[in-house]
Amino acid sequence: MFYKINRWLERHRTAVIGISITLIILIAWILLMDWIVMPMYTHRGQENELPDVTEMQFEEAKVLLESKGFRLVNDQTKHDDHYPAGTVIYQNPAPYSKVKKGRRIYVTVSSGETAVQMPKVLGISERDALFLLSQNGFSVGKIEYQFTDYYPAGVVCDQSIPEGTETARKSTADITVSRGPLPDRFIVPNLVGLNVETAKKNLWHAGLSVGDVSSEFNRRLVPGTVIEQALKAGSEASQGSA
């Protein structure tokens, strides 16, 4: 067996030597590429840990990344109800990953809260206006009352943010509610027995105002119930009387 192998090797010595040399050169070339050439080409060993720039302002993130040898790219902007405008909300590659210097870092930047359109509340009742504003994400601010010949009593006659205006969600909107036409006479309403807040509204609707409010203990009535009023119910008063 070994004799046959030796004779075969002797007859094919040149070919065997050639193949062996070729294999040695191929292995050496692979090792050279893997250990020397490719590391030089790809800058292996020059990778740095990528900082976390989410929740930073874009300009602040840019300064930090450039100081580390990276390039910041604003890939896109999108509305976000949790982060102020200009805040980085996403980055690619991910924070703390190993990245070569000079790599582009793509970020998504918040453009602020989702914009909503102010609905039309002119001409609808105060109750419906409050519901519509709340349904569309607005906070209700001041509610004022004024006399007007154009709108019936109890109907919204003015809104602080014009209809169709795009503004941030949860913005505060003030409304003005009509008291109806200016009356010829201002009659004091009966307020006794009413809740104090209801009594105030009734005074506003009657063209009068709230004066001094005092309180006294009365175990028979619910707290906040009006038990006495300075001007007699049914009497005539001048506009704005307290």
Side-chain angles (χ1 to χ4, degrees), residues 155-202:
V155 169
V156 176
C157 59
D158 191 23
Q159 58 187 91
S160 61
I161 303 176
E163 170 197 357
T165 302
E166 286 199 351
T167 183
R169 189 181 296 274
K170 299 180 182 178
S171 294
T172 300
D174 303 329
I175 60 172
T176 303
V177 181
S178 171
R179 292 179 175 178
L182 184 68
D184 298 328
R185 301 168 61 218
F186 295 88
I187 306 301
V188 178
N190 183 17
L191 308 175
V192 175
L194 300 178
N195 173 275
V196 67
E197 294 303 321
T198 303
K200 289 178 180 180
K201 284 189 176 182
N202 287 1

Side-chain angles (χ1 to χ4, degrees), residues 97-149:
S97 56
K98 294 292 186 179
V99 182
K100 294 191 294 292
K101 285 187 176 181
R103 174 78 180 269
R104 289 188 179 91
I105 310 303
Y106 297 92
V107 296
T108 299
V109 180
S110 169
S111 57
E113 293 182 355
T114 304
V116 292
Q117 280 196 347
M118 178 69 184
K120 179 182 179 181
V121 295
L122 289 176
I124 66 176
S125 70
E126 177 183 353
R127 179 178 179 180
D128 288 345
L130 296 180
F131 175 77
L132 187 58
L133 289 172
S134 176
Q135 190 179 46
N136 282 272
F138 289 91
S139 298
V140 180
K142 293 187 299 182
I143 302 176
E144 297 182 341
Y145 300 86
Q146 71 177 33
F147 292 105
T148 171
D149 294 329

Side-chain angles (χ1 to χ4, degrees), residues 28-43:
W29 182 81
I30 292 173
L31 294 176
L32 178 68
M33 293 294 294
D34 188 54
W35 292 352
I36 300 176
V37 177
M38 291 305 294
M40 291 177 62
Y41 179 75
T42 60
H43 304 287

